Amino acid sequence: MLKTAVDYGADAVYCGGAEFGMRAASKNFTLEDIEQGIRYAHAHDVRVYATVNIIPGNAEVAGMNAYLGALAEIGVDALIVTDIGVLMAARQIAPHTELHISTQAGVMNYQAAAALHELGAKRVVLAREMSLPEIREMRAKIPGDLEIEAFVHGSMCMAFSGRCLISKYTTGRDANHGDCAQSCRWKYHVVEEKRPGEFFPVEVTDNGTYLFNSQDLNMLAHLDEVIAAGVTSLKIEGRAKGEYYVAALTNAYKTAVTTYLNGKENATDLARDDTFALPEWVLQEPYKVTHREYSTGFFYPEKTVGESITRGGYISDWLWLGTAVDYDTDTQCLTVLSRNKMVPGQQVEFLMPGTEPIPFQIPYAGIRDETGEMVNEINHPAREFSLPCAQIIPPGAMLRGKAR
């Protein structure tokens, strides 16, 4: 996934290690993995940030400090921290490594941001509850060399900047150590005896409702306003997401940023104007990955994020079908590593970095399995198949199609 983010246009990647990060259930990186990822990223002029953003208990302090030193030694470009003790320790242990303040710290105002800058922070990742007017004011009142990072896409949380106790209370899994069970997204029944002084309606059904199931964030169409507000870095949330999700959204947001910057080359100011008009295919990319209902988060005070009260699961209208492995120009045959079923006549797309997806129809003849035998369809995952394809497709391109 790190390599995919690099290949599809990210100029920085943040990742969690096996310890002290906020993604306990994910496929986390060992130190060796991170070092390998750094080599790949740096070869492509991309930076790597390591998340060490839990709030450690007493028993974790010594291990955390040793881990900070190990991360600095292998060359991470920044450490993303929450705890002030970790911040101060990192200054001593990793003096030449940038320090970024995690969204878990809940930075909501210019005074807090400036104080953290004085303590050594190069960047603050804002609390997700900040609006665009508040970000603009912060940018005007903090040191010019203090960078601002903001989440622009991905899962939101019903608790303030992800600081929640529901999971630990209901399951014993600590969200503040990256082990959230997402208890807030379960279906609940409200049982209430008298409701003194409460006037909001509570719908009574046999099915219950998803009271705390927050919508996902999608600011793709509004990146011009986010950048104009003074945000230095745009962050895509990717906890426990897959390679295809990373590819599609990185490609979309990279295209959007490039569109914005190109449109501003001859402009005289950074105010919103008609220079930011995204192609329709870019705007549709967030709907071609697994997602919940979308909102614009807290960026606009008049319309903040809500909850999806009638469903708790994901929306998966499109599927990742396979990945291009090789293309033979002599035979005009494409070899793909399959992930999901593909049948003759099916309309699919090739997703490739930096370009609009290419439509393609699965051919009615000429499909072969890895032994070279003709087959009627591609119906086995994690196997290689070849099929006729007149378009030259580079390795790494992803095939996707609508869920059948």
Side-chain angles (χ1 to χ4, degrees), residues 242-265:
E243 183 181 345
Y244 166 65
Y245 179 96
V246 171
L249 289 179
T250 302
N251 192 54
Y253 275 86
K254 181 67 170 184
T255 302
V257 170
T258 301
T259 300
Y260 172 80
L261 295 177
N262 288 343
K264 289 298 180 182
E265 283 185 353

Side-chain angles (χ1 to χ4, degrees), residues 156-230:
M156 299 286 284
C157 183
M158 58 76 61
F160 182 79
S161 287
R163 296 190 295 186
C164 182
L165 296 174
I166 293 180
S167 175
K168 188 173 183 179
Y169 177 78
T170 56
T171 69
R173 291 171 52 179
D174 190 351
N176 290 307
H177 274 60
D179 197 23
C180 182
Q182 299 202 39
S183 306
C184 60
R185 302 192 187 277
W186 298 350
K187 184 182 292 185
Y188 288 93
H189 293 264
V190 177
V191 179
E192 197 239 347
E193 186 176 357
K194 295 182 179 178
R195 286 199 307 176
E198 297 185 31
F199 301 99
F200 59 88
V202 176
E203 182 180 7
V204 179
T205 71
D206 293 332
N207 299 320
T209 187
Y210 299 91
L211 293 176
F212 313 113
N213 183 34
S214 60
Q215 296 167 330
D216 281 0
L217 175 64
N218 176 11
M219 284 294 288
L220 184 61
H222 308 280
L223 287 194
D224 53 340
E225 293 190 279
V226 177
I227 297 171

Side-chain angles (χ1 to χ4, degrees), residues 51-347:
T51 57
V52 279
N53 55 347
I54 69 163
I55 300 175
N58 287 333
E60 296 170 304
V61 169
M64 168 73 87
N65 291 348
Y67 190 56
L68 294 173
L71 289 170
E73 186 175 344
I74 63 175
V76 296
D77 297 288
L79 300 168
I80 304 175
V81 305
T82 298
D83 181 74
I84 192 169
V86 175
L87 170 64
M88 302 308 289
R91 287 183 56 181
Q92 303 299 319
I93 297 167
H96 303 297
T97 305
E98 282 187 15
L99 299 176
H100 298 178
I101 305 302
S102 171
T103 189
Q104 290 283 119
V107 177
M108 281 285 294
N109 62 75
Y110 59 85
Q111 180 173 260
L116 290 163
H117 180 254
E118 290 183 11
L119 293 177
K122 172 69 173 177
R123 177 182 298 183
V124 289
V125 184
L126 300 179
R128 304 189 198 196
E129 291 74 20
M130 287 197 72
S131 67
L132 283 172
E134 290 170 331
I135 295 172
R136 283 192 288 268
E137 181 180 11
M138 175 183 285
R139 180 70 273 173
K141 294 182 177 180
I142 61 176
D145 62 340
L146 178 57
E147 299 173 352
I148 292 177
E149 182 167 293
F151 280 91
V152 292
H153 199 97
S155 297
M156 299 286 284
C157 183
M158 58 76 61
F160 182 79
S161 287
R163 296 190 295 186
C164 182
L165 296 174
I166 293 180
S167 175
K168 188 173 183 179
Y169 177 78
T170 56
T171 69
R173 291 171 52 179
D174 190 351
N176 290 307
H177 274 60
D179 197 23
C180 182
Q182 299 202 39
S183 306
C184 60
R185 302 192 187 277
W186 298 350
K187 184 182 292 185
Y188 288 93
H189 293 264
V190 177
V191 179
E192 197 239 347
E193 186 176 357
K194 295 182 179 178
R195 286 199 307 176
E198 297 185 31
F199 301 99
F200 59 88
V202 176
E203 182 180 7
V204 179
T205 71
D206 293 332
N207 299 320
T209 187
Y210 299 91
L211 293 176
F212 313 113
N213 183 34
S214 60
Q215 296 167 330
D216 281 0
L217 175 64
N218 176 11
M219 284 294 288
L220 184 61
H222 308 280
L223 287 194
D224 53 340
E225 293 190 279
V226 177
I227 297 171
V231 173
T232 311
S233 175
L234 309 173
K235 192 164 194 169
I236 299 172
E237 183 274 330
R239 182 182 302 184
K241 299 298 195 298
E243 183 181 345
Y244 166 65
Y245 179 96
V246 171
L249 289 179
T250 302
N251 192 54
Y253 275 86
K254 181 67 170 184
T255 302
V257 170
T258 301
T259 300
Y260 172 80
L261 295 177
N262 288 343
K264 289 298 180 182
E265 283 185 353
N266 300 317
T268 58
D269 63 84
L270 290 179
R272 184 180 178 94
D273 55 33
D274 294 333
T275 61
F276 188 69
L278 293 177
E280 183 61 25
W281 74 264
V282 177
L283 295 171
Q284 289 303 312
E285 287 299 291
Y287 300 92
K288 293 182 178 182
V289 299
T290 297
H291 64 95
R292 300 181 183 92
E293 292 179 8
Y294 281 125
S295 74
T296 52
F298 293 90
F299 282 102
Y300 300 100
E302 67 277 11
K303 188 180 181 182
T304 58
V305 63
E307 67 270 66
S308 300
I309 61 174
T310 58
R311 63 182 298 170
Y314 284 101
I315 301 169
S316 299
D317 292 334
W318 286 69
L319 295 176
W320 178 19
L321 302 176
T323 302
V325 176
D326 185 45
Y327 185 83
D328 190 321
T329 56
D330 294 330
T331 62
Q332 292 191 327
C333 276
L334 174 68
T335 301
V336 301
L337 179 65
S338 66
R339 290 185 59 89
N340 281 289
K341 185 176 181 178
M342 290 176 266
V343 299
Q346 182 179 355
Q347 298 294 328

